[in-house]
Every structure is written in structure tokens, then in C-alpha cells.
Amino acid sequence: MPFIKSRSFLHNFTAGSVAVAAAIACTAALGASSAMAQGLAPLAKELNPAQTALILIDFQYPFVNPDGANYRAVKKELEEKRLLDRTVELVKKARSLGVLVVHVTEGYTSDYREVDATNPGGFHRGQILRQAWKVGTKETSYFPPLMPGEGDKDLFPAPRNQISAFGGTGLNEILRSKGIKNVAVGGFTTDVCVYATVTNAFDLGYHVYALRDAMAGYFPEQSELMLKNTYPMWSKVISNDDWLAVLERGEATR
Amino acid sequence: MPFIKSRSFLHNFTAGSVAVAAAIACTAALGASSAMAQGLAPLAKELNPAQTALILIDFQYPFVNPDGANYRAVKKELEEKRLLDRTVELVKKARSLGVLVVHVTEGYTSDYREVDATNPGGFHRGQILRQAWKVGTKETSYFPPLMPGEGDKDLFPAPRNQISAFGGTGLNEILRSKGIKNVAVGGFTTDVCVYATVTNAFDLGYHVYALRDAMAGYFPEQSELMLKNTYPMWSKVISNDDWLAVLERGEATR
Amino acid sequence: MPFIKSRSFLHNFTAGSVAVAAAIACTAALGASSAMAQGLAPLAKELNPAQTALILIDFQYPFVNPDGANYRAVKKELEEKRLLDRTVELVKKARSLGVLVVHVTEGYTSDYREVDATNPGGFHRGQILRQAWKVGTKETSYFPPLMPGEGDKDLFPAPRNQISAFGGTGLNEILRSKGIKNVAVGGFTTDVCVYATVTNAFDLGYHVYALRDAMAGYFPEQSELMLKNTYPMWSKVISNDDWLAVLERGEATR
Amino acid sequence: MPFIKSRSFLHNFTAGSVAVAAAIACTAALGASSAMAQGLAPLAKELNPAQTALILIDFQYPFVNPDGANYRAVKKELEEKRLLDRTVELVKKARSLGVLVVHVTEGYTSDYREVDATNPGGFHRGQILRQAWKVGTKETSYFPPLMPGEGDKDLFPAPRNQISAFGGTGLNEILRSKGIKNVAVGGFTTDVCVYATVTNAFDLGYHVYALRDAMAGYFPEQSELMLKNTYPMWSKVISNDDWLAVLERGEATR
């Protein structure tokens, strides 16, 4: 009986040449006409709310309260976008459409025992040096207007110590078990935790919607460039209203 | 028998309010004097090569060959930094010190069956529309001067379809089983796959070294801002020479 | 402005004690009448083939060829169940229904550089001592009758070094991006890699179908007990025919 | 410039034959003499406590309290092994040696919103039907004698809804960031959650020690067979005393 080999994950280097389409690797999109020519399915124009989650990241005291330690960094954008009020409206509409609302928070034990103070990346070390974001303190308290009401089925994963909203929270497995295909992401900050969540969500296989009205950046110039250049590789950058409209279409046609 | 409620390790047992240092959440580092005052261990000044891996990302035809589809985007930086030659030197020195060298590549089957053409993030859809990065073609061929020699123990994980070098490659589990604590990262591009690898590596608990001489960006302005603003949260941004020096000190003092 | 403490989604907001049904934690199922009384949705009686994958584990020379090193251990079960022929039939029917067929294999580089010979668990050390399962050798060759034909869209993830079919293969992310909700699992062995795949798949949020006609155990007595006692916690143990019937119903009602 | 191909993760089926060592794939260990002959490093005879964690699974009311719903199933083994008292002693000694003690628990919100009642595997559905293991109730309360004292640095990850102690808890990333290489595992039950944790830990690259004195099985016959047949593939099955002795040697020789 002849047997056929499966191959090494440490390769196979035989030469060979093939024509390569001239193009860059990292642009986000080509024209719809090109896609049609290749027979690719069109992108969704409607979303099923039952397969969609809204992930809000770090709507906590330091970012949302004028006395918060990080408030000053995001103040301008909060005000210009009326970000907090509009996010509250967004969440109410999302809940009423049947979207799963997920509140992801950051937090540490009082002695930071779960993180590594010697990591050369400064994030956790900085939190320790500032004695910041301890669970059970005012600083990790959640933005009251976003708290779920009696009948709301929002999820509150345990406070996380990783950058990505999926890091160490079990969120990926919960969303999959609930049939969630699409995630919309907003919160703090466009250039740090929200971005890491978006790249992670793409890698995990989700369809990602980056809610630009619902996020604020730490470094405005970098955030703008990211929204323009790299967010579109992993997500559709979209306004609150347009995202809600896509959901309403999905709801109507079910 | 009295029973005590189960609780998260993120909840304070000893209640009480704690003063919160006024500070931003996302700055990378505070002064060493502040760290000493709090009794934090100092950051490492030497690295054990046996606990260190060098992760090279996408040193493949599109980026490293003048005829490659992405070459033009990185050409200026490749030339100014003498990036390719210096990376080859870096890898030789790293191997001789006992650092584990890992070559992470990107690649797809010829019909892209493993990715989702309908994802609203444009990355995979773009690769499909350009019919790019197919395994077994010239376009995914590896940069010959980086190929390991007879006795070298480099790793070549299977070509990946995710952004992060850890995505779907099993690399995290392999590195951990080999006792790797530190990872240095270089390659293509500073603002896309290298950055996603760095945030992912930090979340996975590694000490990350971002080799700025060994990486090129797709969008130069964004890449510069990222290296200045957010890379330091997750990594130490370092020159090839300084990184090698830290390893040599680690080797000498073992 | 009053602030509310952040809390886990696992904490009761509405305090109060709840009657606890006297029962064991690990039994697999209670009566359908009890479920109805609680308003639980019934279990699926049909599966959508487009949301279903068939995962075959280690149909490789050592298990499927009479000269294979592990053949003797599974010979009796292979023969009694006509396992190989029936799996080939199963795969053909699954393909024709539109089920995604995934062939997961085991394999190592020729010097086993990617695994840890000093792990006190004996699995990898045993493979090294026997110099077994090297990629590119007869021993890792795939069972020819299961090889996909020209138009088949089967997946062959890279050979893995972990127990679970999801370990280090990127399979979870691929399946999610393709909208797979249900996985059926068969192969080698009932008590080792198939079981680890089933527990892992449940934790990842899949609906799992354990194909008892398509799996053979290494230790027959243990395998029988597992199928009876613990498989039902994580999966529905089912015959090939019954699983195909559920798919056909799903196909018919779409 | 010649370019070399890297290969697809879907394929390459060229024939070839190579001698295969006659052996079974799944036995746990071969003789030490054979290992020496091949130049394999010997297995560790001592463990560094600073690189070691003790993971205790589900020491909660249902299993440890005579009134608990699952107590009867494990009562015989609890008594014969004096399991609870000896685990308390074990934990005290482990703490004093500097081992990281991790208490992993199970728990659900009061309406089980985070799990899927329609999964054909009966585990979660069973918990829902019994309205069992709700966070904040007596049933999920922790075994008081194991609670950490003032200066103890034990970890309490958030209650989990997955089988494996690593599932959705962030535990893997925390342990790795703390330099943990070895994990010892005990608790409930030998044939269910402890086993899934052990296979998962092996796949994640840990050196695993299965503490047979500190675990009890749900199905005694199956548990015995697992400890004899398959646990040794992923772990060293060891008594409390022998494990402590290996740690003490590690402590002494540092």
C-alpha cells in the first residue's frame, strides 16, 4: 500500500518561481468591481444583532471622571465627540436591538501580585509605581450611566491585566459559545487597548467594527494615523449611527 | 462550619481606600529613583541567551527583494538602516551566543480556503484580490542569507495567516516549553505585524525587546510615533548592538 | 457623582440565597421534562452542514497500517468496527453534504527541537527515545484513502506536537472565521488525543459530537469507561449513521 | 538572486520511505538506560520552588462539605486518603517553601448567561438544570482551612466556567510572567477537571506533577485506570511527600 507523506512544519525549501501580482501587502481594500470580477462574496450590508457583541473597554473612573488621573489626556476628544453621552445612547439602542453588551475593565490586586514588575515594557511597572487601577478602589469604579438595569443581560468579565479585551478574560470562548460573529469595539484608548483588542479580535476570526465615535486616543496624532492607515486592515471604521443602521437592517430582514 | 465566599483574586480582602497617584495610565516609565523608593526590583541589565529568542517576521520576497510587491514601501528604510545586511549579522551573532532564532512567515493556500474573504477588515480580502502570498510561490520564498546552516537549530513555524507571530503557530507553547523568557522582535512591518506581535507577546508574559534597527514600517510617520509613544509600554526599544551587549553580559556572568 | 465599584460578571448583584438542587456536579444530563419545566431550549435535532466540521485525528501510518508501530494496539477495534473503511465512507458523505473535513496529524522535526525532552510527562520523551513520528518519514504518512480529491476543500493543518487537535494548529481561529459551530471528532485514540481534543473543544465553546464508530482506544477498558462516564459531559456520543442523519435533516430544512 | 520557497500548511504529498522504530506511540516512558544511550538529559530530581506553582481545583462546598451535593461521590476517597487535612498541610509546607499557591474555582452567574444551555455536552446544561454552582452562594464558598493568611501571596483567579483550570482564567499568562515552569495539580476530580487541567498544562509546555494524594475521582474505576495509563504521559504521578522532598532538594541546592 503506497503511503503519502505529510510535511514538516519546519519546511521544505525547493526553488520555484511564479508570477506575483504587483501590489502591496497591507492596503486595506481594493475596489468592489475587482472583488466582483473574482467572484468574491460582497461584504455584509446588514448584521444580525443576535450574532453581534458591543465591547466597551475601560469606561472607568480614570478616563470618565474629571478627577480621574487619565481624564486630561482624553478630555478634548470626550467633549468634541460628546463621547460619554453618545456611548450611553448607543448602549441603550444596542441592548434594545438584542446586541450583547460586554463591559471589559482593567484592575489589579492591591499588591499587583499577578503582574511582573520587572518587565521591560513599562505598562505594568508604571501602574505599580503609581499604585494605580486597584480593584475595589474608586479608580476602578465603572461609569454609572453604563451600568445594566434589572433585565439587561450585559456581561462583566473579571477585571483584566492584559492589553487586549480577550486577554485572560475568557471572553473569546464565551462569545463563541453564544454564537457571536461580529464585535464592535469602543472605549479607551484608540491607540492602546482598543487597538490591541481589534488586532486580537481579527486574529481570533471576528468581523470587527471600530466605533470611532465611541473611542478616544491617548496620543491624538498617532490615533488619527492608526484609524486612517491600519484600523481598516482589521476592521470597518464606522460611526455609531451607521453601525446601528446596519444592525437595524439585519433585524428587519430576519 | 462557617464558609467563606469564593472571590476573585482581583478583589481587595482588606477593605480601605487607597491614595491614587495622579498620573496617566499609559506612560511607559517613571524614574528609577521612584522604583527604588518603592522597593521594586531593577530592570535586567543582562539577558541569559538560553532564555532568549529572536523572532524575525516576514523576511520574505515581497519585502526583501527589489522585485517584491511591497519592496517600494520599505526601500528607504531598508537602505538607510542597511537593514538586511545588519539583520544577517545580528542573526549570526545571536546564533553564536545560543539565542533561539525563529523565522515566522506569512502564507496562504492557493485558494485561500483557510481565511474569510468576507471579513470587513481588509487584510485577507486584499491578499485574495491580489492573489498574493501563496505558499509554494516565489512570493513567499524566504530571504536566502537568513537560512540556517547545517548545525543551526532555528525554528520555522508553519506559515501563518494571522497578524501576530504567535497567532496559530504554536510558537507560544514551543517557546515556553524551551524556557524562553525574553523575545526580541524584528522584521516587517513596524506598524503592522511586528506591533501586533509585540502587544501579543507582552500579554503572553514575555519580556520583549523591539529591535528598531531590524524593523521597517509601512507608514513611516505612524511607525515613528508608535516607536516613541506605545512600543515602550510593551517593550524596550533597543538597537541591535545594545541588545547584543546585554546578551553578552548575560553570557559572561553565567 | 456616585461611582459604582467594578465587579465580575460572576458576582451576584441581587443578593440572596438560592435553593440548590441536591445533585452531583458531573452527571451529563437530566430529563428533558426537567429542562422544559425550566424553559431551556431543546437540544438540536438537526445540524447545518455549513456550520459543521469533521475533525479526524492521526489517521497516519502507525495506526492505520498493519506494519505501523501502534497498529497492534488498535487492531481489534479497527477490525470489529471496520473503522477504516467506514471512516472513508463517512468522509465522502460528509464532503458531499458540505461539511468541512479537517485532517489533523502529529509530527516532529528530525531532531525534535520543538519539544522538551526533559518533561516529566513521558509522551514526547517517549517519541524521542523511539525516534518516532518524524515529519517526512513513512511513519507520518497519511492514510491514502482519506486524501482529498481535486475539488475537495479539506484542511490539513500543519502537523502538531500537542495532544489536542487545537493545540498550536491555529484550527480554532480558522474554524471560527469560517462560521463553524459544531465539530465531530474521530480517530486515534479514544483515551488520549481524541479525548483531549473533545475536552478542549468543549472549553472553546463548540458543540461536540464524539463519533464512536470512528475512534479506537489505546486502553480498551479505560476507553469504554470514558465513553460511558465522561465523554457525555462534553459531547454527544453518536454513531456515524445517526450523525449523518442529523446533518441530512439540517440540510433538508435549510 | 535565487529564492527559496517556504511551504504551505496545507500539503505536500511526495512519497518517501524511512525506517520506523518499532514502538507504540503512547506509552509513557522507556528505561533511563535507553535515554542515557541517546544522550538525553535526565529528568529533574529537584525543583526550584520559585519556579513552581501548586494548583488546587474546586475545593468548594459541594465537594468538601458533608452537606455538599457532590460530597457523597468523593466521600470514600476523602476519608481513606485523609485528603482534606493532608492538603491543608501540603499547602502550608508549599507556602513556606516559596511555592505559588493557586486556588482555582468554578462558578456561574445566577442566570448562567455566560454559558450555552443548548450544548449537547451535558456539563453546563446539568449545572443549569440543578441551578448549581452560582457565584455568591454557599455552594461556591471556598474551603476555609485553605484560605490564605495575612502575608500569603496565593492567587485566586476569577471563578471559571471551563473544565481546565487554564480555561478563561488568564492563569497561563500569569504563571508564565512569574517564571513558573512546574505545576503540581490536585483537587476535584481526578477523572474530570483535574485531568483536563493536566492535559492542557502539558500542551501549554509545563512540567506537571499529579498529586495523587490530593485528588479524588468521580468514577473510581476510571480514575484508577487514568492514573495508571494516561496521566503518566502528561505528568509525573507523585505522592505529596515525594513532591515536597523534590522541592526541598531544590531549595537546598540553590
Side-chain angles (χ1 to χ4, degrees), chain A residues 2-10 65 105 136 140-142 144 147 156-157 172-174 176 180 203-204 206, chain C residues 2-9 65 109 113-114 135-136 141-142 144 157-159 172-173 176 180 203-204 206:
Chain A
F3 266 84
I4 291 163
K5 282 197 299 180
S6 96
R7 78 276 118 53
S8 167
F9 81 89
L10 308 190
N65 191 292
T105 59
T140 55
S141 64
Y142 205 66
M147 293 299 289
F156 272 88
N172 184 40
E173 295 87 344
I174 293 174
R176 168 181 274 287
I180 299 299
D203 271 356
L204 292 169
Y206 292 93
Chain C
F3 267 83
I4 293 164
K5 295 263 186 75
S6 151
R7 70 279 140 82
S8 163
F9 75 89
N65 191 291
T109 52
R113 66 181 67 174
E114 69 277 14
V135 171
S141 63
Y142 205 67
N172 184 39
E173 295 87 343
R176 166 181 274 287
I180 300 299
D203 270 357
L204 291 169
Y206 293 94

Side-chain angles (χ1 to χ4, degrees), chain B:
Chain B
M1 196 192 317
F3 268 83
I4 293 163
K5 295 262 186 77
S6 151
R7 71 275 141 84
S8 162
F9 75 87
L10 295 162
H11 294 181
N12 277 344
F13 307 145
T14 57
S17 75
V18 170
V20 177
I24 59 177
C26 293
T27 45
L30 298 184
S33 57
S34 167
M36 280 179 62
Q38 289 194 34
L40 286 191
L43 298 179
K45 296 208 178 315
E46 52 191 59
L47 292 179
N48 180 348
Q51 297 180 341
T52 305
L54 169 57
I55 301 178
L56 300 174
I57 300 174
D58 294 358
F59 278 86
Q60 289 165 280
Y61 187 95
F63 285 116
V64 302
N65 192 290
D67 294 333
N70 303 35
Y71 187 83
R72 201 171 40 181
V74 295
K75 181 174 190 287
K76 185 159 176 282
E77 208 167 347
L78 287 183
E79 291 175 353
E80 285 177 1
K81 292 180 168 177
R82 284 203 314 116
L83 192 151
L84 295 177
D85 287 351
R86 288 174 65 208
T87 301
V88 172
E89 292 162 22
L90 174 74
V91 166
K92 284 180 183 160
K93 285 182 186 159
R95 283 182 189 132
S96 74
L97 284 165
V99 167
L100 176 67
V101 178
V102 185
H103 306 269
V104 175
T105 59
E106 182 180 349
Y108 307 89
T109 53
S110 58
D111 61 4
Y112 301 90
R113 66 181 66 173
E114 69 277 15
V115 295
D116 174 8
T118 69
N119 196 301
F123 189 77
H124 288 149
R125 194 171 173 92
Q127 306 292 51
I128 298 169
L129 288 171
R130 290 185 298 272
Q131 292 287 301
W133 292 86
K134 295 185 184 189
V135 172
T137 68
K138 184 177 65 174
E139 204 182 18
T140 55
S141 63
Y142 205 66
F143 186 49
L146 285 178
M147 293 298 292
E150 194 61 29
D152 297 327
K153 296 285 191 184
D154 299 17
L155 290 181
F156 272 89
R160 79 197 192 291
N161 57 56
Q162 297 187 35
I163 323 169
S164 164
F166 295 95
T169 58
L171 182 57
N172 184 40
E173 295 86 343
I174 293 174
L175 294 188
R176 290 312 196 177
S177 78
K178 300 181 84 65
I180 299 298
K181 172 184 180 179
N182 316 295
V183 296
V185 184
F188 306 92
T189 64
T190 309
D191 42 359
V192 179
C193 295
V194 175
Y195 188 74
T197 300
V198 165
T199 51
N200 202 178
F202 179 83
D203 270 356
L204 292 170
Y206 292 94
H207 287 200
V208 185
Y209 294 81
L211 299 172
R212 66 168 182 245
D213 301 340
M215 61 178 72
Y218 212 81
F219 303 101
E221 193 185 356
Q222 179 178 331
S223 295
E224 275 310 304
L225 289 169
M226 291 170 102
L227 281 166
K228 180 180 143 211
N229 294 332
T230 51
Y231 264 94
M233 298 178 186
W234 331 117
S235 66
K236 182 171 180 59
V237 180
I238 196 168
S239 69
N240 288 358
D241 287 347
D242 286 351
W243 182 65
L244 287 168
V246 176
L247 284 163
E248 279 156 6
R249 273 203 294 279
E251 179 66 9
T253 58
R254 275 207 292 178

Side-chain angles (χ1 to χ4, degrees), chain C residues 106-165:
Chain C
E106 182 178 350
Y108 307 90
T109 52
S110 58
D111 62 4
Y112 300 89
R113 66 181 67 174
E114 69 277 14
V115 295
D116 174 8
T118 69
N119 195 301
F123 189 77
H124 288 150
R125 194 172 174 91
Q127 305 292 51
I128 297 170
L129 289 171
R130 290 184 298 272
Q131 293 288 300
W133 291 86
K134 296 185 184 189
V135 171
T137 67
K138 184 176 64 174
E139 204 182 17
T140 54
S141 63
Y142 205 67
F143 186 50
L146 286 178
M147 292 298 290
E150 195 60 29
D152 297 327
K153 296 285 189 183
D154 299 17
L155 290 180
F156 272 89
R160 79 195 191 291
N161 57 56
Q162 297 187 35
I163 322 169
S164 164

Side-chain angles (χ1 to χ4, degrees), chain D:
Chain D
M1 195 192 317
F3 268 83
I4 292 163
K5 283 196 299 180
S6 97
R7 79 275 116 58
S8 168
F9 81 90
L10 304 191
H11 55 269
N12 210 43
F13 299 100
T14 54
S17 89
V18 162
V20 178
I24 58 176
C26 293
T27 46
L30 297 185
S33 58
S34 167
M36 280 178 64
Q38 289 195 33
L40 286 191
L43 298 179
K45 296 208 178 315
E46 52 190 59
L47 292 179
N48 181 346
Q51 298 179 340
T52 304
L54 170 57
I55 301 177
L56 300 174
I57 299 174
D58 294 357
F59 278 85
Q60 290 165 279
Y61 187 94
F63 284 116
V64 301
N65 191 292
D67 294 334
N70 303 36
Y71 187 83
R72 202 171 38 181
V74 294
K75 181 173 191 289
K76 184 157 176 285
E77 208 167 346
L78 287 183
E79 291 175 352
E80 286 176 1
K81 291 180 170 178
R82 284 202 314 116
L83 193 151
L84 294 176
D85 287 349
R86 287 174 66 209
T87 301
V88 172
E89 292 162 24
L90 174 74
V91 166
K92 284 180 182 160
K93 285 182 186 161
R95 282 182 190 134
S96 74
L97 284 164
V99 167
L100 176 67
V101 178
V102 185
H103 305 269
V104 175
T105 59
E106 183 179 350
Y108 307 89
T109 51
S110 58
D111 61 4
Y112 301 89
R113 66 181 67 175
E114 69 277 14
V115 296
D116 174 8
T118 69
N119 196 301
F123 190 77
H124 288 149
R125 195 172 173 90
Q127 307 291 52
I128 298 169
L129 289 170
R130 290 185 297 273
Q131 293 287 301
W133 291 87
K134 296 185 183 190
V135 171
T137 67
K138 183 177 66 173
E139 204 183 18
T140 55
S141 63
Y142 205 66
F143 186 50
L146 286 177
M147 293 297 290
E150 193 64 27
D152 296 327
K153 296 284 189 185
D154 299 17
L155 291 181
F156 272 87
R160 81 195 190 291
N161 56 57
Q162 296 188 35
I163 323 170
S164 164
F166 294 94
T169 57
L171 182 57
N172 184 39
E173 296 87 343
I174 294 173
L175 295 188
R176 290 312 196 176
S177 78
K178 300 182 84 65
I180 299 299
K181 173 184 180 179
N182 317 294
V183 296
V185 184
F188 305 94
T189 64
T190 308
D191 42 1
V192 180
C193 294
V194 174
Y195 188 74
T197 299
V198 165
T199 52
N200 201 177
F202 180 83
D203 271 356
L204 291 169
Y206 293 93
H207 287 200
V208 185
Y209 294 80
L211 299 172
R212 66 168 182 246
D213 300 341
M215 62 178 71
Y218 213 81
F219 303 101
E221 192 184 357
Q222 179 178 331
S223 295
E224 275 310 304
L225 289 169
M226 291 171 103
L227 281 167
K228 179 179 144 210
N229 294 331
T230 54
Y231 264 94
M233 297 179 186
W234 331 117
S235 67
K236 182 170 179 60
V237 180
I238 195 168
S239 70
N240 288 359
D241 287 347
D242 286 350
W243 181 66
L244 287 169
V246 176
L247 285 163
E248 279 157 6
R249 273 202 295 278
E251 178 67 10
T253 60
R254 277 206 293 178

